Amino acid sequence: NSGDSYPIRTLEELGSRARDVLAANDIGTMVTAAPNLYPHMWSWDAAFVATGLSTVSVARALQELDYLVAAQWKSGMIPHIVFSDVPGYFPDVDRWGTRGVAPEGVQSSGICQPPVHATMLRRIVERATAAGGEDARLAEEFTRRTLPHWVDWHAWLRSARGGDGSGLLTIYHGWESGMDNSPRFDGPYSRVQPGDMEPFVRTDTLKVTDHSQRPSDEEYGRYLWLVQQMADVGFDDARLPAVMSFQVRDVFMSAIFAAASEDLAVLAEQFGLPEEAPQLRQWAREFRDGVDATVDEETGLARDRDVLTGEWIGPPTIAGFAPLVSTADQALLDRQLEIFEGPDWTGDPRLAFPLPASTSTTYEGLKPRQYWRGPVWPVMNWYLAHCLRRRGDRKRYHQLCEASLAQLMEGHFGEYYEPFTGEPLGSMDQSWTAAVALEWLA
Ligand code: 9YW
């Protein structure tokens, strides 16, 4: 990328640059999440990347999902990182200690990430079906072949993480939420006391040299301690509730699970596993209700819950909009949309673009440059807009589309953006940012 190629002038150019980013991050077996910072496959990134890729090549998109599915553990869990052989990311597979637990030949982490996969697969199938011919044939073949794996993945989430009747999934690490250092997790993390562990050297801060854009060393110490707690019990799902010092019912992940279970039911009916659909729909209902039940009457936002203390989690973050993803309650939806478009969120006149920040812009803990503590994440903009479009809300989809494209025209495909200035932050040429640019343009 040469400096004088910014900003981008036309939407055609934006599309072609986004395709270039994905091509450059493609190492053959996978499209890495980002060129330097994240040289591996991340689970929910891969799903978003696949839908972006499908605007270019359905075959390449399905290959991405295939690679992820091949890393699925015997339990049904799909790991949050599938490692390539590119060195330089910490914690690596050795530090994770998953060899011998992960399937033979698979190098992976030992935790999961939000299950957006079935939703993105449904999107790809719809695109391929509309295109017809070879694309449609490939998508059908892929879906028939991999459906049992996606069903196993959902069954694992429901049984290992969501079997307590709350209609909410429990996470044992902030990384599982995909929103690593969100203030959502400050309370639970404050009670994590790292014990003796091997020393470590971070690599992320060698790459994002402005350290104020990344989590702190103290936070990393806790992240690594949780990895060690899991490794000590061999990543045995049955033992995690007794040993983990971080346990949160993640409301946003639960909403994603509800929506994706519905999407998976549709795919199951269409592609040869209709007998699975009633169970999937039952899970969708259970988690939809679980999410709705977390809404704070006063703020109108959905809340996580700390399992170890029983406390609700207060900070106003983007996860509070979980019902936009999953609810069937029209009054709740209306209230959430009013808040979403109000002065604490996309209606804040100080914003560079009317897009949701990762925390409310009026939150006292807002850090507009730091990761999940304030910046705007392009991938979230598209995911929420996609959920609204699914409900038939084309108007809001187009509004968010216009604002997001305007943001992305600066041309760096940043991992996240400063909400008030629009400055790209974190990693540049981030794959899922390029992928959602292609979705917006499709
Ligand atoms: C890390 C890859 C991942 C995303 C997460 C995001 C970040 C990785 O990057 O975490 O090492 O901090 O928080 O959601 O999947 O893009």
Side-chain angles (χ1 to χ4, degrees), residues 165-247:
S166 65
L168 295 168
L169 299 173
T170 294
I171 57 171
Y172 295 112
H173 200 300
W175 280 340
E176 297 202 295
S177 73
M179 301 187 189
D180 314 359
N181 76 334
S182 168
R184 299 162 71 186
F185 307 124
D186 285 355
Y189 270 129
S190 71
R191 291 179 278 278
V192 173
Q193 295 296 334
D196 276 343
M197 72 179 156
E198 245 184 90
F200 62 89
V201 179
R202 292 172 66 175
T203 54
D204 59 318
T205 40
L206 301 174
K207 293 164 185 177
V208 178
T209 49
D210 174 359
H211 297 179
S212 67
Q213 294 174 29
R214 293 285 307 173
S216 68
D217 284 345
E218 213 187 356
E219 286 172 318
Y220 253 76
R222 295 188 170 121
Y223 299 167
L224 268 298
W225 176 243
L226 296 179
V227 169
Q228 177 140 336
Q229 287 192 308
M230 289 177 209
D232 284 348
V233 296
F235 300 91
D236 180 347
D237 291 325
R239 296 178 66 188
L240 295 178
V243 301
M244 295 307 295
S245 55
F246 177 104
Q247 305 190 24

Side-chain angles (χ1 to χ4, degrees), residues 33 38 42 44-45 89 113 178 180 214 371-372 415 430 432:
Y38 307 132
W42 264 259
W44 75 329
D45 295 55
Y89 176 82
Q113 262 188 336
D180 314 359
R214 293 285 307 173
Y371 213 42
W372 290 99
E415 185 180 10
Q430 180 85 9
W432 67 7

Side-chain angles (χ1 to χ4, degrees), residues 36-288:
N36 297 307
L37 187 60
Y38 307 132
H40 309 292
M41 175 183 274
W42 264 259
S43 167
W44 75 329
D45 295 55
F48 288 113
V49 165
T51 184
L53 282 172
S54 73
T55 66
V56 182
S57 159
V58 168
R60 184 64 191 81
L62 298 173
Q63 185 195 324
E64 202 65 12
L65 291 176
D66 236 347
Y67 199 78
L68 180 66
V69 161
Q72 184 170 34
W73 286 24
K74 222 172 53 227
S75 62
M77 184 187 76
I78 292 183
H80 104 296
I81 300 177
V82 186
F83 291 101
S84 70
D85 293 323
V86 181
Y89 176 82
F90 180 83
D92 60 8
V93 66
D94 293 327
R95 183 68 182 217
W96 270 101
T98 50
R99 285 188 213 278
V101 190
E104 187 71 32
V106 168
Q107 301 188 62
S108 82
S109 69
I111 56 173
C112 65
Q113 262 188 336
V116 290
H117 314 85
T119 298
M120 294 308 124
L121 177 57
R122 184 176 174 196
R123 170 106 191 115
I124 295 167
V125 166
E126 284 172 357
R127 174 168 286 134
T129 307
E134 182 65 359
D135 281 353
R137 194 193 63 74
L138 282 174
E140 171 162 2
E141 181 281 321
F142 176 85
T143 309
R144 285 185 186 277
R145 175 165 58 79
T146 59
L147 260 176
H149 296 279
W150 304 118
V151 172
D152 284 354
W153 163 226
H154 280 231
W156 175 81
L157 284 162
R158 169 63 175 67
S159 71
R161 300 307 190 83
D164 63 3
S166 65
L168 295 168
L169 299 173
T170 294
I171 57 171
Y172 295 112
H173 200 300
W175 280 340
E176 297 202 295
S177 73
M179 301 187 189
D180 314 359
N181 76 334
S182 168
R184 299 162 71 186
F185 307 124
D186 285 355
Y189 270 129
S190 71
R191 291 179 278 278
V192 173
Q193 295 296 334
D196 276 343
M197 72 179 156
E198 245 184 90
F200 62 89
V201 179
R202 292 172 66 175
T203 54
D204 59 318
T205 40
L206 301 174
K207 293 164 185 177
V208 178
T209 49
D210 174 359
H211 297 179
S212 67
Q213 294 174 29
R214 293 285 307 173
S216 68
D217 284 345
E218 213 187 356
E219 286 172 318
Y220 253 76
R222 295 188 170 121
Y223 299 167
L224 268 298
W225 176 243
L226 296 179
V227 169
Q228 177 140 336
Q229 287 192 308
M230 289 177 209
D232 284 348
V233 296
F235 300 91
D236 180 347
D237 291 325
R239 296 178 66 188
L240 295 178
V243 301
M244 295 307 295
S245 55
F246 177 104
Q247 305 190 24
V248 173
R249 287 193 190 132
D250 179 332
V251 74
F252 200 71
M253 186 164 181
S254 302
I256 288 173
F257 178 69
S261 293
E262 190 70 47
D263 290 324
L264 195 50
V266 170
L267 292 173
E269 276 163 350
Q270 216 179 332
F271 295 107
L273 274 186
E275 64 278 16
E276 298 288 351
Q279 178 64 268
L280 290 162
R281 290 223 160 81
Q282 165 55 30
W283 293 338
R285 272 193 302 276
E286 184 185 340
F287 283 75
R288 195 155 64 212

